[in-house]
Amino acid sequence: MIRVLYDGKTYIDALVTSVEWSGDIAKPYRTLTVQLSNTLDGDEQAINFEVGKEIRFYADNAGLFRGIIFTYEVSQSGSATITAYDENVYLTKNMDSRLITNKTASAIIREICSAFGVPVGTIADSGYVIPRMVLRNKDLWDMMLTALTETSKQNGKKYRVYSSSGRLYLAERKDAAVRWMLEDGVNILTASRSQSIEETRTTVKVIGGDDEKAPLTATATDSAMKAKYGTMQHLETADSKLTQSQIQQLAKQRLADLAKVGEEVTVEALGLADVVAGGAVYAFESMTDIAGGYYVSTDRHTWEGGVHRMSVTLSRTYDLPKLPYEDDEAAKASAKKKKKKKRRR
């Protein structure tokens, strides 16, 4: 059974024809789309829905969503659509510029949330102290992603940002006990699987240090992957303040991220409300050779006609979108120094 509560006062279950609840690890928020027949007599709307109002969604007595209506559409027949996002959507609706020095990604996230009035829950300790970053003309979500990307490059840790009860949470993505299984002949309706080495790299070279001195470099190679798939090198410029050991660690970690065969699985199945982006499942399907544990990258759950179905994209790795930091000021300073040297000659 599903229930939809509008503005904390009115249950609109009788008007609802279908509900879609979805998420994507590339986004900090989840989305609720409600289709309804918003008329009782064919002439007037039963409820005058307003954008900016709160809406909540429950399935089998469990609260699955709390968010804000951002779009409301209605036709002459009374057919209407409500689109709402949880509170983390405001991370994508605010832009700023910030100078960061000697702070962890956790501290940066707390600082951003405090400045923009975003309530926080538990914020995991990200550990790595970022020496310096200039975050210019970015939305808050991109700022957080940049900080988490720089952190992951150094310590290899993966993180999940999500909203619960109106608060932002940062959790480290660790291997955990998997509760749910998707299996052909049991709950899988359709399935497909693809593999690719388009984004695979077998060697990583990192260049850092001061432009006026000999550059610091580090190279890491996966010999087995190189022998199998050929030489495919990723080149990266490191923060000028990183030491040789930090640059070597960066090369090693980037290789661990890139020396992999990409695999993506899409499954449509009978719905399980706990299977959402950021979670994990076991999946088995004989024709596609889908077998083993997977992370959920995207999910789309639908309730219609009393039936709950879901479509999920699965991956062997859990990766937030990567937004590497580029120091614009450092690049400009380097260019000016090179021009001066040419003039002196």
XYZ file of all heavy atoms in Angstrom, residues 225-292:
502
model
N 47.513 -5.971 -16.923
C 46.525 -5.267 -17.750
C 47.175 -4.731 -19.023
O 46.588 -4.776 -20.109
C 45.893 -4.131 -16.953
C 45.029 -4.567 -15.794
S 43.407 -5.200 -16.307
C 42.569 -3.680 -16.733
N 48.402 -4.234 -18.900
C 49.119 -3.693 -20.058
C 49.381 -4.783 -21.090
O 49.225 -4.579 -22.299
C 50.430 -3.063 -19.603
C 51.252 -2.451 -20.719
C 52.516 -1.812 -20.182
C 53.389 -1.251 -21.299
N 54.623 -0.622 -20.770
N 49.791 -5.963 -20.625
C 50.060 -7.079 -21.538
C 48.782 -7.531 -22.241
O 48.814 -7.940 -23.410
C 50.672 -8.243 -20.756
N 47.653 -7.446 -21.557
C 46.388 -7.938 -22.109
C 45.700 -6.930 -23.013
O 45.148 -7.281 -24.066
C 45.459 -8.341 -20.958
C 44.211 -9.078 -21.404
C 43.448 -9.618 -20.196
C 42.250 -10.449 -20.633
N 41.516 -11.018 -19.488
N 45.749 -5.635 -22.599
C 44.969 -4.623 -23.313
C 45.812 -3.551 -24.005
O 45.269 -2.701 -24.711
C 43.988 -3.950 -22.347
C 43.022 -4.919 -21.711
C 43.062 -5.169 -20.341
C 42.075 -5.595 -22.476
C 42.185 -6.077 -19.751
C 41.192 -6.491 -21.901
C 41.257 -6.733 -20.538
O 40.384 -7.618 -19.971
N 47.133 -3.584 -23.804
C 47.987 -2.592 -24.438
C 48.276 -1.418 -23.534
O 47.731 -1.299 -22.433
N 49.152 -0.535 -24.008
C 49.512 0.655 -23.232
C 48.467 1.738 -23.420
O 48.208 2.195 -24.541
C 50.880 1.198 -23.669
O 51.875 0.188 -23.450
C 51.247 2.440 -22.865
N 47.866 2.159 -22.330
C 46.903 3.266 -22.324
C 47.226 4.103 -21.092
O 46.922 3.703 -19.967
C 45.459 2.739 -22.293
C 45.063 1.984 -23.559
S 43.334 1.449 -23.596
C 43.417 -0.030 -22.584
N 47.882 5.242 -21.305
C 48.407 6.027 -20.192
C 47.536 7.229 -19.851
O 47.135 7.995 -20.729
C 49.823 6.522 -20.511
C 50.426 7.396 -19.393
C 51.875 7.710 -19.595
O 52.721 6.834 -19.454
N 52.183 8.949 -19.948
N 47.292 7.376 -18.564
C 46.611 8.549 -18.029
C 47.654 9.509 -17.483
O 48.541 9.110 -16.724
C 45.645 8.135 -16.910
C 45.061 9.289 -16.148
N 44.072 10.089 -16.656
C 45.353 9.787 -14.907
C 43.760 11.019 -15.767
N 44.518 10.865 -14.710
N 47.574 10.780 -17.871
C 48.503 11.804 -17.385
C 47.754 12.770 -16.495
O 46.673 13.248 -16.852
C 49.130 12.557 -18.559
C 50.092 13.691 -18.186
C 51.326 13.143 -17.469
C 50.502 14.483 -19.429
N 48.325 13.051 -15.340
C 47.665 13.940 -14.387
C 48.664 14.911 -13.774
O 49.805 14.543 -13.482
C 47.004 13.113 -13.288
C 46.146 13.923 -12.345
C 45.136 13.057 -11.608
O 44.576 12.113 -12.216
O 44.905 13.315 -10.425
N 48.236 16.151 -13.595
C 49.062 17.165 -12.946
C 48.631 17.289 -11.500
O 47.445 17.488 -11.214
C 48.921 18.525 -13.646
O 49.291 18.383 -15.016
C 49.819 19.561 -12.986
N 49.589 17.160 -10.592
C 49.288 17.192 -9.162
C 49.448 18.598 -8.611
O 50.112 19.462 -9.214
C 50.211 16.235 -8.417
N 48.875 18.824 -7.454
C 49.057 20.082 -6.729
C 50.548 20.307 -6.494
O 51.277 19.401 -6.096
C 48.302 19.993 -5.393
C 48.241 21.340 -4.674
O 49.304 21.914 -4.400
O 47.121 21.788 -4.378
N 51.006 21.529 -6.731
C 52.434 21.833 -6.609
C 52.961 21.639 -5.194
O 54.167 21.537 -4.985
C 52.699 23.277 -7.062
O 51.978 24.190 -6.263
N 52.071 21.586 -4.207
C 52.501 21.452 -2.821
C 52.676 19.993 -2.383
O 53.160 19.726 -1.279
C 51.503 22.149 -1.895
C 51.489 23.667 -2.070
C 50.567 24.333 -1.059
C 50.586 25.854 -1.222
N 49.714 26.534 -0.227
N 52.293 19.052 -3.237
C 52.423 17.652 -2.863
C 53.887 17.218 -2.898
O 54.664 17.637 -3.747
C 51.609 16.769 -3.805
C 50.085 16.916 -3.777
C 49.437 15.850 -4.649
C 49.538 16.848 -2.367
N 54.236 16.352 -1.960
C 55.596 15.819 -1.896
C 55.748 14.657 -2.879
O 54.760 14.173 -3.443
C 55.903 15.317 -0.474
O 55.032 14.203 -0.181
C 55.679 16.417 0.560
N 56.989 14.186 -3.036
C 57.249 13.060 -3.935
C 56.484 11.814 -3.497
O 55.891 11.109 -4.310
C 58.751 12.748 -3.975
C 59.127 11.564 -4.863
C 58.866 11.823 -6.338
O 59.250 12.862 -6.860
N 58.205 10.894 -7.010
N 56.450 11.558 -2.187
C 55.741 10.371 -1.698
C 54.232 10.499 -1.935
O 53.560 9.509 -2.246
C 56.028 10.151 -0.211
O 55.567 11.238 0.567
N 53.691 11.718 -1.803
C 52.271 11.921 -2.049
C 51.952 11.759 -3.536
O 50.895 11.235 -3.898
C 51.841 13.304 -1.559
C 51.779 13.425 -0.049
C 51.460 14.838 0.415
O 52.005 15.817 -0.115
N 50.585 14.960 1.399
N 52.863 12.194 -4.394
C 52.670 12.035 -5.835
C 52.714 10.561 -6.215
O 51.925 10.087 -7.043
C 53.729 12.850 -6.608
C 53.417 14.344 -6.469
C 53.767 12.461 -8.084
C 54.457 15.254 -7.055
N 53.623 9.812 -5.591
C 53.691 8.372 -5.848
C 52.405 7.679 -5.389
O 51.883 6.786 -6.065
C 54.902 7.778 -5.126
C 56.228 8.177 -5.758
C 57.433 7.718 -4.948
O 57.321 7.478 -3.748
N 58.576 7.604 -5.605
N 51.891 8.088 -4.232
C 50.649 7.521 -3.724
C 49.481 7.854 -4.648
O 48.604 7.018 -4.903
C 50.360 8.039 -2.310
C 49.006 7.636 -1.730
C 48.828 6.137 -1.621
O 49.812 5.396 -1.495
N 47.584 5.669 -1.677
N 49.503 9.081 -5.173
C 48.458 9.503 -6.096
C 48.472 8.646 -7.360
O 47.425 8.185 -7.827
C 48.648 10.977 -6.449
C 47.690 11.578 -7.488
C 46.242 11.392 -7.077
C 47.999 13.061 -7.687
N 49.671 8.412 -7.917
C 49.784 7.581 -9.123
C 49.278 6.167 -8.851
O 48.552 5.574 -9.662
C 51.230 7.551 -9.600
N 49.649 5.621 -7.699
C 49.242 4.266 -7.324
C 47.723 4.165 -7.185
O 47.095 3.216 -7.663
C 49.919 3.881 -6.009
C 49.582 2.493 -5.511
C 50.300 2.201 -4.188
C 49.916 0.828 -3.649
N 50.584 0.558 -2.349
N 47.128 5.158 -6.528
C 45.691 5.122 -6.304
C 44.916 5.339 -7.601
O 43.903 4.682 -7.849
C 45.284 6.177 -5.271
C 43.807 6.129 -4.893
C 43.386 4.750 -4.416
O 43.991 4.181 -3.521
N 42.341 4.198 -5.037
N 45.402 6.255 -8.447
C 44.718 6.497 -9.715
C 44.768 5.249 -10.604
O 43.817 4.950 -11.321
C 45.347 7.691 -10.432
C 45.152 9.011 -9.730
C 43.687 9.378 -9.595
N 43.133 9.865 -10.833
C 41.945 9.526 -11.319
N 41.178 8.670 -10.661
N 41.515 10.030 -12.455
N 45.891 4.509 -10.538
C 45.988 3.275 -11.306
C 44.960 2.261 -10.815
O 44.310 1.585 -11.615
C 47.397 2.683 -11.197
C 47.628 1.383 -11.996
C 47.559 1.669 -13.489
C 48.956 0.741 -11.615
N 44.807 2.171 -9.494
C 43.817 1.246 -8.927
C 42.413 1.583 -9.409
O 41.575 0.698 -9.631
C 43.874 1.285 -7.404
N 42.141 2.873 -9.600
C 40.828 3.310 -10.072
C 40.628 3.043 -11.564
O 39.512 2.746 -12.000
C 40.643 4.817 -9.817
C 40.547 5.151 -8.336
O 40.185 4.268 -7.551
O 40.858 6.306 -7.969
N 41.704 3.160 -12.355
C 41.576 3.169 -13.811
C 41.915 1.849 -14.499
O 41.483 1.606 -15.626
C 42.453 4.280 -14.397
C 42.079 5.706 -13.981
C 43.136 6.694 -14.449
C 40.714 6.087 -14.527
N 42.708 1.003 -13.847
C 43.113 -0.264 -14.467
C 42.047 -1.326 -14.238
O 42.267 -2.359 -13.585
C 44.461 -0.710 -13.919
N 40.860 -1.073 -14.774
C 39.724 -1.977 -14.609
C 38.931 -2.034 -15.900
O 38.883 -1.057 -16.659
C 38.794 -1.486 -13.491
C 39.426 -1.439 -12.108
C 38.453 -0.848 -11.108
C 39.063 -0.781 -9.708
N 38.152 -0.145 -8.741
N 38.311 -3.156 -16.142
C 37.376 -3.291 -17.252
C 36.016 -2.786 -16.773
O 35.498 -3.241 -15.745
C 37.269 -4.751 -17.716
C 36.203 -4.889 -18.808
C 38.611 -5.236 -18.228
N 35.468 -1.827 -17.502
C 34.171 -1.296 -17.117
C 33.062 -2.311 -17.365
O 33.052 -3.003 -18.381
N 32.159 -2.422 -16.422
C 31.027 -3.343 -16.569
C 29.768 -2.665 -16.061
O 29.762 -2.078 -14.985
C 31.270 -4.636 -15.782
C 30.132 -5.635 -15.906
C 30.369 -6.908 -15.108
O 31.373 -6.965 -14.364
O 29.567 -7.833 -15.226
N 28.716 -2.728 -16.859
C 27.449 -2.137 -16.452
C 26.328 -3.131 -16.690
O 26.251 -3.768 -17.744
C 27.172 -0.845 -17.204
C 25.932 -0.111 -16.709
C 25.779 1.253 -17.343
O 26.406 2.213 -16.853
O 25.029 1.357 -18.333
N 25.483 -3.269 -15.707
C 24.368 -4.214 -15.747
C 23.073 -3.447 -15.522
O 22.999 -2.582 -14.636
C 24.537 -5.294 -14.662
C 23.277 -6.147 -14.539
C 25.758 -6.164 -14.958
N 22.078 -3.734 -16.324
C 20.751 -3.138 -16.144
C 19.753 -4.257 -15.886
O 19.696 -5.234 -16.649
C 20.322 -2.340 -17.386
O 21.265 -1.301 -17.631
C 18.952 -1.713 -17.169
N 19.011 -4.101 -14.817
C 18.052 -5.140 -14.420
C 16.703 -4.500 -14.126
O 16.626 -3.472 -13.435
C 18.542 -5.897 -13.163
C 17.450 -6.842 -12.648
C 19.808 -6.676 -13.463
N 15.650 -5.092 -14.665
C 14.287 -4.763 -14.251
C 13.782 -5.928 -13.430
O 13.936 -7.093 -13.820
C 13.396 -4.525 -15.467
C 13.749 -3.257 -16.229
C 12.740 -2.936 -17.314
O 11.659 -3.568 -17.310
O 13.028 -2.076 -18.148
N 13.188 -5.604 -12.277
C 12.797 -6.671 -11.355
C 11.575 -6.257 -10.559
O 11.149 -5.091 -10.591
C 13.965 -6.992 -10.414
N 11.027 -7.211 -9.842
C 9.984 -6.887 -8.874
C 10.602 -5.986 -7.817
O 11.750 -6.163 -7.417
C 9.422 -8.161 -8.249
C 8.774 -9.145 -9.235
C 8.291 -10.394 -8.492
C 7.627 -8.491 -10.000
N 9.842 -4.999 -7.361
C 10.407 -3.945 -6.534
C 10.807 -4.360 -5.126
O 10.113 -5.124 -4.454
N 11.947 -3.831 -4.710
C 12.423 -3.932 -3.330
C 12.812 -2.525 -2.902
O 13.772 -1.955 -3.427
C 13.630 -4.873 -3.232
C 13.400 -6.342 -3.585
C 14.745 -7.052 -3.779
C 12.584 -7.025 -2.488
N 12.074 -1.939 -1.976
C 12.268 -0.532 -1.630
C 13.646 -0.239 -1.051
O 14.119 0.899 -1.107
C 11.184 -0.083 -0.648
N 14.322 -1.239 -0.498
C 15.644 -1.022 0.081
C 16.756 -1.001 -0.966
O 17.902 -0.665 -0.646
C 15.960 -2.112 1.115
C 15.133 -1.962 2.377
O 14.762 -0.821 2.693
O 14.851 -2.980 3.032
N 16.446 -1.374 -2.198
C 17.461 -1.387 -3.257
C 17.478 -0.016 -3.923
O 16.654 0.296 -4.780
C 17.184 -2.503 -4.283
C 18.193 -2.450 -5.427
C 17.220 -3.861 -3.601
N 18.428 0.818 -3.493
C 18.517 2.190 -3.987
C 19.965 2.522 -4.338
O 20.896 1.823 -3.924
C 17.987 3.203 -2.952
C 16.506 2.992 -2.689
C 18.789 3.127 -1.658
N 20.150 3.588 -5.106
C 21.483 4.037 -5.497
C 22.352 4.228 -4.265
O 21.939 4.859 -3.281
C 21.387 5.342 -6.287
N 23.567 3.677 -4.325
C 24.469 3.722 -3.184
C 24.486 2.435 -2.401
O 25.396 2.198 -1.611
N 23.495 1.571 -2.631
C 23.436 0.287 -1.949
C 24.107 -0.799 -2.772
O 24.808 -0.539 -3.751
N 23.897 -2.048 -2.378
C 24.522 -3.172 -3.074
C 23.573 -4.362 -3.085
O 22.720 -4.500 -2.203
C 25.839 -3.549 -2.401
N 23.726 -5.208 -4.110
C 22.896 -6.410 -4.242
C 23.748 -7.543 -4.807
O 24.821 -7.318 -5.370
C 21.692 -6.185 -5.190
C 20.730 -5.159 -4.638
C 22.175 -5.797 -6.595
N 23.243 -8.756 -4.654
C 23.757 -9.883 -5.417
C 22.818 -10.061 -6.599
O 21.596 -9.932 -6.461
C 23.769 -11.165 -4.585
C 24.890 -11.247 -3.579
C 24.617 -11.351 -2.217
C 26.225 -11.235 -3.995
C 25.639 -11.434 -1.284
C 27.255 -11.318 -3.072
C 26.958 -11.407 -1.725
O 27.981 -11.470 -0.811
N 23.377 -10.349 -7.780
C 22.548 -10.554 -8.961
C 23.048 -11.765 -9.741
O 24.261 -11.949 -9.899
C 22.568 -9.308 -9.847
N 22.109 -12.587 -10.227
C 22.459 -13.787 -10.989
C 21.478 -13.937 -12.149
O 20.265 -13.967 -11.945
C 22.399 -15.038 -10.096
C 23.374 -14.996 -8.949
C 22.984 -14.487 -7.711
C 24.681 -15.447 -9.108
C 23.883 -14.434 -6.652
C 25.583 -15.386 -8.054
C 25.185 -14.881 -6.825
N 22.040 -14.007 -13.377
C 21.216 -14.219 -14.571
C 22.059 -15.007 -15.555
O 23.154 -14.584 -15.934
C 20.780 -12.879 -15.166
C 19.522 -12.944 -16.019
C 19.782 -13.575 -17.390
O 20.848 -13.299 -17.975
O 18.922 -14.358 -17.857
N 21.591 -16.166 -15.983
C 22.431 -17.114 -16.709
C 22.826 -16.666 -18.114
O 23.986 -16.807 -18.516
C 21.725 -18.470 -16.780
O 20.446 -18.327 -17.373
N 21.901 -16.123 -18.909
C 22.212 -15.773 -20.289
C 23.280 -14.681 -20.376
O 24.182 -14.731 -21.220
C 20.935 -15.307 -21.009
C 21.174 -14.823 -22.426
S 21.861 -16.094 -23.523
C 20.401 -17.130 -23.743
N 23.211 -13.670 -19.519
C 24.127 -12.529 -19.576
C 25.386 -12.734 -18.742
O 26.267 -11.877 -18.728
C 23.409 -11.259 -19.078
O 22.893 -11.512 -17.758
C 22.271 -10.885 -19.998
N 25.463 -13.872 -18.041
C 26.589 -14.153 -17.140
C 26.713 -13.123 -16.017
O 27.802 -12.847 -15.521
C 27.920 -14.219 -17.910
C 28.025 -15.478 -18.746
O 27.423 -16.491 -18.363
O 28.699 -15.442 -19.793
N 25.587 -12.541 -15.637
C 25.575 -11.665 -14.460
C 25.691 -12.553 -13.234
O 24.886 -13.464 -13.030
C 24.268 -10.840 -14.397
C 24.172 -9.900 -15.602
C 24.182 -10.065 -13.093
C 22.814 -9.231 -15.746
N 26.719 -12.309 -12.430
C 26.912 -13.161 -11.259
C 27.758 -12.448 -10.215
O 28.830 -11.930 -10.518
C 27.581 -14.471 -11.653
N 27.233 -12.390 -8.979
C 28.027 -11.843 -7.888
C 27.470 -10.556 -7.322
O 26.314 -10.193 -7.527
